[in-house]
Amino acid sequence: MDKTLFLCILVIPQLLVNPHHGQASDTTTLAPAMFLFGDSLTDSGNNNYIPTMARANYFPYGIDFGYPTGRFCNGLTAVDFAARKLGLPLIPPYLSLQSNTTSILNGVNYASAAAGILEETGQHYGARITLSGQVSLFESTITQHLQPLFQNPNKLNQYIAKSIFLINIGSNDYINNYLLPSMYESSQIYDGEAFADLLINKLSEQLSKLYKLGARKMVLAGLAPLGCIPSQLSLASDNNCIEQVNELVTMFNSRLIWLINTLNASLPGMIFVYENIYNLFNDMVNNAPSYGFLVADTACCGNGRDGGYFTCLPMQQPCAIRNQHIFWDSFHPTQAVNAIIAESCNNFSTTCYPMSIDQLVQL
């Protein structure tokens, strides 16, 4: 079963959605498209089409969506909410498109569960689309699908430049690489600081490629406190988060902020936004009732913290009131959490730096 942390990423815990239709909830489109990169936080079904154990195309996944889609959540992910906030329909997974090029104009989701920044991350699950592979697919989208739809190259460049690019990746490089010393040698080769440097250098290479392909508005999500997810709590001797794991995450996040500042200053016309998932999620875990949650350390599905690294088993009956739980399974938050996190980057909040997504789309 999939062991990956998939923080599906907005609104209030009691939010009810009707995901059976792809139409956007708003009539005004604030951005021409969204292009999504990452792991199961954003994967909306790409892994359904490749030989991998990292799948969520079975019940009870999608129970509040209406049916399993491949999303590692009970309902919508953060990027689903973000797309609707921009007036866009749900963004389709790249591998589902085949010859359907019309929907590409709204954007494409390239994310793949178990994927990481490093090529080897998550390989014990089988196939997955690594970050470099996702960037290559975006390049193919331009040459094979978008260029024929834009006879004027300048209009294509403007379309890409005005689109929102959202990247949320790196959790698996820890959960399904560095923290699995019996399977991967990374923790034996690098200390925490050096490993974070390695990830940031590799990430910088891919971001630079996206810039060369025309991307100008990018949102980069920081990592959540992985030491507080049920799969890690199952390894702890007490009820507290594993601080050594959270320290590793903090090393990565601090370098990600540095990278954003550096690239904003060095790439003409580029605007990077950092989404501080860590502080918000950490506050939700430690102050769950103030967000409307009753359960902060036990998953709704997959036997909670006692289930260790298990995700939901096929046809397993989840908890009845999902909106009371922060965690859907041992790795992924519920739809209610995704709604809060996504909304936190809008409305000029302090979660996003140096500006909110609202401000970003207006530029």
Side-chain angles (χ1 to χ4, degrees):
M1 303 301 296
D2 192 347
K3 304 176 183 179
T4 314
L5 166 74
F6 307 112
L7 292 177
C8 313
I9 303 183
L10 297 157
V11 197
I12 58 175
Q14 290 76 25
L15 176 71
L16 295 177
V17 298
N18 178 16
H20 302 286
H21 304 286
Q23 291 86 356
S25 58
D26 298 326
T27 57
T28 302
T29 300
L30 302 179
M34 282 186 71
F35 294 97
L36 309 171
F37 304 80
D39 48 33
S40 61
L41 171 64
T42 39
D43 188 353
S44 58
N46 279 312
N47 276 29
N48 295 347
Y49 300 88
I50 59 179
T52 177
M53 293 186 293
R55 293 190 179 192
N57 58 345
Y58 56 86
F59 183 86
Y61 287 103
I63 186 173
D64 293 307
F65 194 102
Y67 53 90
T69 63
R71 289 169 172 82
F72 287 76
C73 190
N74 59 304
L76 297 178
T77 66
V79 295
D80 292 328
F81 286 108
R84 290 188 167 185
K85 179 72 175 182
L86 295 176
L88 297 168
L90 301 184
I91 307 301
Y94 176 84
L95 295 182
S96 72
L97 295 172
Q98 299 178 353
S99 60
N100 181 7
T101 59
T102 304
S103 59
I104 286 180
L105 287 173
N106 292 317
V108 182
N109 188 331
Y110 304 97
S112 175
I117 298 171
L118 301 180
E119 295 296 310
E120 66 271 20
T121 290
Q123 63 186 0
H124 57 288
Y125 286 112
R128 68 262 175 252
I129 310 171
T130 65
L131 179 59
S132 63
Q134 294 175 35
V135 174
S136 295
L137 289 179
F138 173 65
E139 184 174 14
S140 297
T141 300
I142 295 176
T143 57
Q144 297 179 17
H145 303 295
L146 291 176
Q147 285 181 353
L149 298 176
F150 288 84
Q151 298 303 316
N152 186 329
N154 289 331
K155 289 187 177 181
L156 174 58
N157 292 337
Q158 292 174 7
Y159 159 84
I160 296 175
K162 292 181 179 180
S163 296
I164 301 297
F165 289 73
L166 195 151
I167 299 100
N168 192 330
I169 199 164
S171 295
N172 288 326
D173 292 293
Y174 288 98
I175 297 296
N176 284 309
N177 187 331
Y178 196 78
L179 295 174
L180 293 179
S182 62
M183 295 183 179
Y184 297 89
E185 298 180 348
S186 54
S187 62
Q188 303 166 36
I189 300 173
Y190 305 98
D191 63 16
E193 301 278 358
F195 188 67
D197 287 336
L198 174 66
L199 295 180
I200 291 299
N201 288 336
K202 295 294 184 181
L203 177 60
S204 180
E205 292 175 5
Q206 300 307 320
L207 297 179
S208 296
K209 289 181 181 179
L210 287 175
Y211 174 79
K212 292 178 181 178
L213 292 170
R216 292 297 181 270
K217 297 182 179 182
M218 243 181 253
V219 179
L220 298 178
L223 302 187
L226 302 181
C228 298
I229 65 176
S231 67
Q232 290 298 308
L233 292 177
S234 69
L235 304 176
S237 57
D238 51 30
N239 293 327
N240 298 319
C241 300
I242 301 179
E243 290 308 316
Q244 297 93 323
V245 174
N246 286 345
E247 288 173 3
L248 292 172
V249 170
T250 301
M251 293 176 193
F252 175 86
N253 285 342
S254 64
R255 285 162 173 77
L256 183 57
I257 296 173
W258 170 87
L259 177 63
I260 287 173
N261 290 332
T262 300
L263 295 180
N264 274 337
S266 61
L267 298 178
M270 188 69 225
I271 306 172
F272 284 96
V273 171
Y274 173 71
E275 188 171 10
N276 188 351
I277 300 295
Y278 188 100
N279 286 357
L280 177 59
F281 200 89
N282 190 57
D283 191 51
M284 272 194 277
V285 169
N286 290 299
N287 301 288
S290 65
Y291 291 89
F293 299 110
L294 298 181
V295 185
D297 60 352
T298 301
C300 177
C301 184
N303 298 323
R305 62 185 300 159
D306 296 329
Y309 269 81
F310 285 107
T311 53
C312 296
L313 299 176
M315 303 306 295
Q316 183 176 17
Q317 189 65 37
C319 65
I321 308 177
R322 271 83 67 181
N323 289 339
Q324 293 181 351
H325 284 251
I326 288 181
F327 292 98
W328 162 243
D329 63 18
S330 293
F331 305 88
H332 314 81
T334 57
Q335 172 180 268
V337 170
N338 298 339
I340 293 173
I341 294 178
E343 183 65 20
S344 71
C345 200
N346 294 302
N347 303 323
F348 310 98
S349 74
T350 58
T351 300
C352 282
Y353 164 87
M355 66 186 69
S356 67
I357 294 180
D358 291 330
Q359 294 168 305
L360 180 64
V361 298
Q362 294 173 13
L363 297 176

